[in-house]
Amino acid sequence: MSTNCLINVDNISFVDIMADLTSYVQGLGGDQAWVDFFKGSAGYTLQELIAGGAAYNSYTSMVSKQETYILEARLRSSLFNICNVLGYPPNRAKSPTLSLVINSDSLVYWNRDDPIGYIGEYSISLKASQTIIEGLNTLECVIGDWKEIEFTVGSSAEYQDFYVPWEDEKLDIDNEYIEAYINGESVELTRFPEELNSENILEVNKFDGVVIITGDSFFGEKVTINDILRYKYLVTPGYLDVGKLSTNVNQGKFEEISIAHQGYPADSLAKLRAIGAGYHAARRNMVTPNDHKYVLMAYTGMTSASYIETDTSECCVSRIAYLFWDEHLLDEVEREDVHIYLADYKIAGYKMELVDPEKVGIEVEITLVGTDAADY
């Protein structure tokens, strides 16, 4: 035990700390001697209380330190913060998209803020407000509800932040269907600080909401006192097996539903741990094999990716294997979406070839070892 403290600073368990305290108390002499350090005594109870508090503080300190390491963190809040620092913006859930055919009995203007129908327990909302004519209409829709929050700017300071709280077990803010307005004028949003300019503002994902950060007129649009900032966003369940849910509409008669995209869930904790450091090293440029892996892996719904080495004589082609969270294969539309995403990061002139995953059979052999004393 250290000569400068009552307990060993390396001890974190109740038992070890209690032993240190007992050793200290028993070593006291003269007018400081304890006579009631036996079990059940008032002095022993006091030792137990001190040891319990010290063990709890040691544990919380250890866990707090653990939460600062990306590979050891267990809290979503910790992983969101670490990934944001490393330059990887965590993905929230992505809404399913669909085409809804209804037979309307009248001409009506429909505001997207009002659900056009329901699928299961979730709202079907228009992507954009529109006029619905009498008769058959094909409507482009998302699953979820449109929300809006408004801030009145209280100062003219640079780099102000505005918090949009959202914490719901069933619904999440969709990073794609978002809009921002300053004094009624639309302003672009970016999730990457390095893309800030005089005409956009920054959107930062937190585990319990979104933070909107304005700029200084050079790095992000600046706001001044009494400006009105409005943020419109869609809250969605993310992935939904739409085909298994009943559908009803609030206008006219439901005719048909066609699923364009089933949606994606938010990034898992495992993905956040795996991608942060690699994405930071890539700097959002696909140069090395690892760059290709982590940039593709950052796509919403993707859980893993791998660069496939090719014959060096084959010029200007990068082959990358992908794996989605549900192991589905890309269709033509989704494949094109991924290529559009990669176009911002690949080397100019290079062609990206996305390689479908294949299931591999694995034989498992298990050996059970028992003892005579075992109770079978």
Side-chain angles (χ1 to χ4, degrees):
M1 183 174 69
S2 170
T3 57
N4 297 321
C5 58
L6 300 183
I7 62 174
N8 189 332
V9 294
D10 293 327
N11 288 341
I12 61 172
S13 72
F14 171 84
V15 173
D16 289 340
I17 295 174
M18 187 68 179
D20 278 348
L21 289 173
T22 300
S23 175
Y24 171 76
V25 168
Q26 291 177 341
L28 294 174
D31 58 357
Q32 291 185 322
W34 284 30
V35 295
D36 59 349
F37 51 76
F38 54 89
K39 288 186 177 181
S41 67
Y44 191 84
T45 301
L46 179 61
Q47 287 177 238
E48 289 184 312
L49 178 62
I50 295 172
Y56 176 78
N57 286 335
S58 296
Y59 173 77
T60 55
S61 297
M62 180 184 67
V63 170
S64 296
K65 185 177 181 180
Q66 173 181 293
E67 288 299 313
T68 64
Y69 300 111
I70 191 169
L71 297 180
E72 297 183 13
R74 294 294 179 268
L75 300 178
R76 178 168 289 272
S77 56
S78 302
L79 287 166
F80 263 59
N81 290 336
I82 295 170
C83 284
N84 279 322
V85 169
L86 291 174
Y88 172 69
N91 293 310
R92 291 187 176 275
K94 180 178 174 63
S95 169
T97 55
L98 53 92
S99 294
L100 181 68
V101 180
I102 65 170
N103 194 340
S104 178
D105 52 11
S106 62
L107 176 70
V108 61
Y109 179 80
W110 201 273
N111 190 317
R112 69 178 185 181
D113 293 344
D114 300 320
I116 190 67
Y118 296 90
I119 185 162
E121 63 180 302
Y122 301 108
S123 301
I124 302 176
S125 301
L126 297 176
K127 284 186 179 181
S129 302
Q130 68 175 81
T131 299
I132 297 176
I133 63 173
E134 184 176 354
L136 289 177
N137 293 259
T138 301
L139 309 174
E140 297 303 315
C141 302
V142 290
I143 295 181
D145 294 285
W146 287 99
K147 303 289 183 181
E148 178 178 325
I149 189 169
E150 183 175 288
F151 303 93
T152 300
V153 180
S155 78
S156 297
E158 299 174 346
Y159 302 110
Q160 299 187 56
D161 55 88
F162 303 88
Y163 176 54
V164 182
W166 190 262
E167 197 167 3
D168 190 297
E169 292 184 356
K170 291 186 176 181
L171 301 173
D172 199 3
I173 297 176
D174 190 312
N175 285 136
E176 181 175 340
Y177 296 104
I178 52 174
E179 300 168 3
Y181 300 85
I182 297 177
N183 298 327
E185 296 291 329
S186 178
V187 58
E188 292 184 6
L189 286 156
T190 179
R191 297 166 67 193
F192 302 99
E194 61 268 31
E195 291 183 353
L196 283 172
N197 56 46
S198 61
E199 298 179 347
N200 61 12
I201 54 180
L202 185 65
E203 177 198 25
V204 179
N205 279 330
K206 298 290 187 179
F207 83 103
D208 58 352
V210 171
V211 177
I212 305 300
I213 303 177
T214 57
D216 63 353
S217 295
F218 296 99
F219 298 102
E221 185 165 338
K222 189 176 184 296
V223 292
T224 58
I225 191 168
N226 294 327
D227 279 349
I228 303 297
L229 172 63
R230 281 190 299 138
Y231 181 70
K232 295 185 177 182
Y233 55 100
L234 180 75
V235 293
T236 177
Y239 171 80
L240 207 59
D241 193 350
V242 179
K244 295 183 177 180
L245 300 174
S246 60
T247 303
N248 58 79
V249 295
N250 295 330
Q251 173 64 21
K253 180 182 177 183
F254 168 70
E255 295 288 343
E256 184 183 350
I257 188 170
S258 176
I259 310 303
H261 194 285
Q262 293 277 23
Y264 295 131
D267 284 350
S268 66
L269 299 187
K271 176 177 177 178
L272 294 175
R273 292 189 197 100
I275 197 174
Y279 193 85
H280 174 73
R283 296 291 195 275
R284 299 172 63 215
N285 291 305
M286 301 174 75
V287 179
T288 70
N290 273 340
D291 294 345
H292 287 72
K293 170 183 176 178
Y294 288 108
V295 170
L296 177 57
M297 189 176 169
Y299 191 81
T300 307
M302 200 80 70
T303 59
S304 183
S306 179
Y307 182 86
I308 300 176
E309 298 289 348
T310 58
D311 187 344
T312 54
S313 63
E314 185 180 6
C315 175
C316 308
V317 177
S318 294
R319 304 181 71 232
I320 324 173
Y322 66 88
L323 182 67
F324 279 97
W325 71 279
D326 59 352
E327 301 181 3
H328 77 270
L329 303 183
L330 292 169
D331 58 24
E332 291 185 9
V333 174
E334 193 176 18
R335 190 176 295 270
E336 182 60 25
D337 288 342
V338 176
H339 278 296
I340 292 172
Y341 160 76
L342 293 176
D344 290 335
Y345 311 114
K346 70 176 186 176
I347 298 175
Y350 266 71
K351 177 184 176 182
M352 294 292 167
E353 182 180 333
L354 297 171
V355 180
D356 294 340
E358 297 180 4
K359 290 188 176 181
V360 178
I362 299 176
E363 291 187 6
V364 179
E365 183 177 302
I366 301 176
T367 301
L368 299 177
V369 179
T371 65
D372 293 339
D375 182 4
Y376 297 105

